[in-house]
Amino acid sequence: MVPHLITALTGPINELEARVLDSMPAIERWFRLEWMEHTPPFYTSVDLRNAGFKLAPVDTNLFPGGFNNLTPEMLPLAVQAAMAAIEKICPEAKNLLLVPGAQVHNTFYLSNLQQLVRVFTQAGLNVRLGTLDESIKAPRPVALPDGSELVLEPLLRNRGRLGLKDFDPCTILLNNNLSAGVPRALQHLHEQYLLPPLHAGWSTRRKSNHFQSYEEVAKRFGKLLGIDPWLINPLFGKCGEINFSEGVGMECLTSNVDALLGKVRRKYKEYGIKEKPFVVVKADNGTYGMGIMTVRDTKELEALNRKSRNKMSVIKDGQEVSEVIIQEGVLTNERMNDAVAEPVVYMMDRYVVGGFYRVHAERGVDENLNAPGSSFVPLAFSESTHLPQPGMKPGASAPNRFYMYGVIGRLAMLGASYELEATDPEAEIYD
Amino acid sequence: MVPHLITALTGPINELEARVLDSMPAIERWFRLEWMEHTPPFYTSVDLRNAGFKLAPVDTNLFPGGFNNLTPEMLPLAVQAAMAAIEKICPEAKNLLLVPGAQVHNTFYLSNLQQLVRVFTQAGLNVRLGTLDESIKAPRPVALPDGSELVLEPLLRNRGRLGLKDFDPCTILLNNNLSAGVPRALQHLHEQYLLPPLHAGWSTRRKSNHFQSYEEVAKRFGKLLGIDPWLINPLFGKCGEINFSEGVGMECLTSNVDALLGKVRRKYKEYGIKEKPFVVVKADNGTYGMGIMTVRDTKELEALNRKSRNKMSVIKDGQEVSEVIIQEGVLTNERMNDAVAEPVVYMMDRYVVGGFYRVHAERGVDENLNAPGSSFVPLAFSESTHLPQPGMKPGASAPNRFYMYGVIGRLAMLGASYELEATDPEAEIYD
């Protein structure tokens, strides 16, 4: 069940949508059974691509920003989901410590933090912000666009516990993806709940692990619905020893790109799709839309100039790129006022709480939209539409389209759950 | 956390609102802890009265109709809450059997059933309707106002299990308050979940038990907030051996009315309230707004004519009234276009999912509004308002007002939870 988003439905009619709608109770039950065996990540946002013939997640964020893009109508759902999440984790909790990312100079990000504070306060917690920025030695107010303020406070580590001055939280919620590594303040916290777990951060996480887990989810879901899992699953390969600036490992990249383009070409042929296949090369531990390039032909790799190589070689926080994922490119056929758009679905605990479109007027249908300057268009609840409407002509109903997006978003979240189980360092110890 | 309802805020400023807003995280945590110890009823609606100086529940319905009055914007919350409820009770459930009340000739009630079917289908269940009406021997389609239809099917009882033809449910959900007694089909079901339990039906339930449990809740909540529990609790007395048509037991009634009017008068004096106190006499097992009278003076009891006595003596399904509750009358100061209005709050599991106003243009501020002909005005989500807004002037913010209504509604639901524990016949056996 998904809140309604507003969009122009110009994409081709999607058979998948009809299949998903017909199977709604079975799908919801399937998720319910999965969540009996697997723990949902605390919160998740998933970038989707809808090519018309294929709908797939292309990125799954376990430290989502952008909660400020959700509309006021979506907030009650987020609060209710937060209540359910807290109740399971630490029902007696009074205090929640929120650890923000480093982007606290970005007003959009500050609005995201404000929204998270609002959600968890209304779910019944005292929320305070503890910063990993060691240059902040005393509470520092930061102004918000609406005239109010947030206060960033220095963390206090006391043996096994992390807190603030006069503030001892039961749960610590990270909104920091740890791309710069795991700070000492967060290590070896055994008495408190640290969410998401440290190995969900980009210092440990790999996109290729995620999509390997997602592939398993897509296969199981494909069996449930009787569909080819490729319709919801982006194919991928990976290379582990790349050095773009020195040109090391380019054979691995070339052969992987070539193999993947071939696979996609065969699938396109099978389905009679006339589009030109492409792949997207991404840093395997990348984020913020950095370290990403689109490749339509292996010749482009040979022709990579120094500037492009340098651009690929370093991502956020100066981390060097040495591992890459080569992902099947999924076209987007969604448009907002003629601009290319990709939907982003937000979840808290196992629930879809909202979503919006990421829109960029100047980009092509096969390009990454999470780039500096991409203009976000938050999507409102559709006021007059109803919940998923079985019996509607596929593609003719916004609520049905968004129900489907919520299903695929949740599949990616389930993939992340499998992924975190498979990569849990503590699980290995006790095996 | 409560969805926003639209209203004209003409009532006097309520200090309680300020107190409730200031204590929001503490209140939510308190509920969380209560729900660790007590099980919320499956679904609940609560009639509230807001006198300006006092806000109290006057009726708590454990088989709520009227879900059709919730707006489409409230549905996602209901679906999410239903998912949470099912997950706790019977996560592997495929099928839900819904047993409707006898009002299936009422189109409003049919729309309520349609809404419940929609909610539970979207929560991932196959929902079918099994009727207690033994005259229905084969599936019977009934037309809905929107042109669609529902199908009522005969129940099939098979040893310990209840179902329909080719339909074996894990959970049976009653939307029938059992005022006509417990049918044999529902007795001794040990292998399936029957919700709400049989003793929540009016054949067992007593309003006086509910308000006794609620009083305990109100006292504990009053302590949490540092307020006089009377501000949220209607005082009450009861009489057990009344026969209105024969005039038996009128001394008990008169002395109880007199005592209660005296108590209310003292409270009014304490708070400088200039209104005239009144009490409401209700059948202790009553429902549907039948068997209710307002009394402002004991002299009115002496002057009761035959017609009024007869009206009080029999309620729904021809049940004779022999037990009554005498409840402190709570004025309503809420208005919708000059008509008297009382808010009704809807909950599923522990969550507030919506609400609406019950409005009657021809009734007074001290009269029961749940009467034949009362015109319901469903309240929409307020589109432009935000969630509870701390810092707003008390009484100036609709969301804050409705947050408060959601808190009091949940207190009544908690009272029902205490009540069902105290009256559980199986609990007595194992004590």
Side-chain angles (χ1 to χ4, degrees), chain A residues 29 32 73 91-93 383, chain B residues 29 32 73 91-93 383:
Chain A
R29 177 170 182 262
R32 207 157 57 227
E73 286 76 12
E92 69 281 8
E383 293 160 36
Chain B
R29 177 170 183 262
R32 206 156 58 228
E73 286 77 10
E92 69 280 10
E383 294 161 36

Side-chain angles (χ1 to χ4, degrees), chain A residues 1 4 24-25 28-29 32-33 36 72-73 75-77 79-81 83-84 86-87 90-94 121-126 350-353 381-388 410, chain B residues 1 4 24-25 28-29 32-33 36 72-73 75-77 79-81 83-84 86-87 90-94 121-126 350-353 381-388 410:
Chain A
M1 206 295 311
H4 326 142
M24 184 174 59
E28 295 301 335
R29 177 170 182 262
R32 207 157 57 227
L33 295 175
M36 286 175 75
E73 286 76 12
L75 271 192
L77 279 167
V79 172
Q80 192 172 297
M83 284 174 160
I86 293 159
E87 185 210 324
C90 191
E92 69 281 8
K94 256 187 189 162
T121 303
Q122 283 170 12
L125 293 164
N126 301 310
R350 74 200 57 191
Y351 306 104
V352 175
V353 296
F381 255 64
S382 166
E383 293 160 36
S384 60
T385 51
H386 299 78
L387 286 168
R410 283 183 288 167
Chain B
M1 208 291 316
H4 326 142
M24 183 173 60
E28 296 301 335
R29 177 170 183 262
R32 206 156 58 228
L33 296 176
M36 286 175 74
E73 286 77 10
L75 272 190
L77 279 168
V79 173
Q80 192 173 298
M83 285 175 160
I86 294 158
E87 185 212 324
C90 190
E92 69 280 10
K94 256 187 188 161
T121 303
Q122 284 170 9
L125 293 163
N126 301 310
R350 74 199 58 190
Y351 305 104
V352 175
V353 297
F381 256 63
S382 166
E383 294 161 36
S384 61
T385 51
H386 299 77
L387 286 167
R410 283 184 285 167

Side-chain angles (χ1 to χ4, degrees), chain A residues 129-172:
Chain A
L129 301 174
T131 177
L132 289 169
D133 180 348
E134 294 186 356
S135 74
I136 294 183
K137 310 279 189 198
R140 177 178 300 177
V142 286
L144 290 163
D146 70 357
S148 62
E149 63 175 32
L150 290 172
V151 178
L152 300 175
E153 299 182 65
L155 291 170
L156 284 185
R157 178 68 189 252
N158 182 1
R159 291 214 191 94
R161 296 186 77 85
L162 184 67
L164 305 173
K165 195 173 177 227
D166 304 323
F167 190 75
D168 186 25
C170 163
T171 304
I172 300 158

Side-chain angles (χ1 to χ4, degrees), chain A residues 278-301:
Chain A
F278 67 103
V279 300
V280 182
V281 180
K282 300 176 181 180
D284 208 7
N285 59 343
T287 175
Y288 301 104
M290 297 170 83
I292 294 186
M293 66 180 174
T294 298
V295 183
R296 294 168 196 80
D297 194 301
T298 49
K299 284 186 198 126
E300 294 172 39
L301 292 175

Side-chain angles (χ1 to χ4, degrees), chain B residues 41 43-48 57-64 200 202 205 207 210-211 214 282 286 327 347 408-409 411-417 419:
Chain B
Y43 51 8
T44 313
S45 73
V46 176
D47 296 356
L48 298 177
V58 295
D59 204 6
T60 302
N61 191 341
L62 299 178
F63 304 88
W202 282 120
R205 203 175 167 222
K207 286 189 201 311
H210 175 70
F211 282 100
Y214 178 73
K282 301 176 181 179
Q327 192 177 49
M347 287 154 286
I408 306 297
L411 291 177
M413 171 165 72
L414 183 58
S417 171
E419 171 201 350

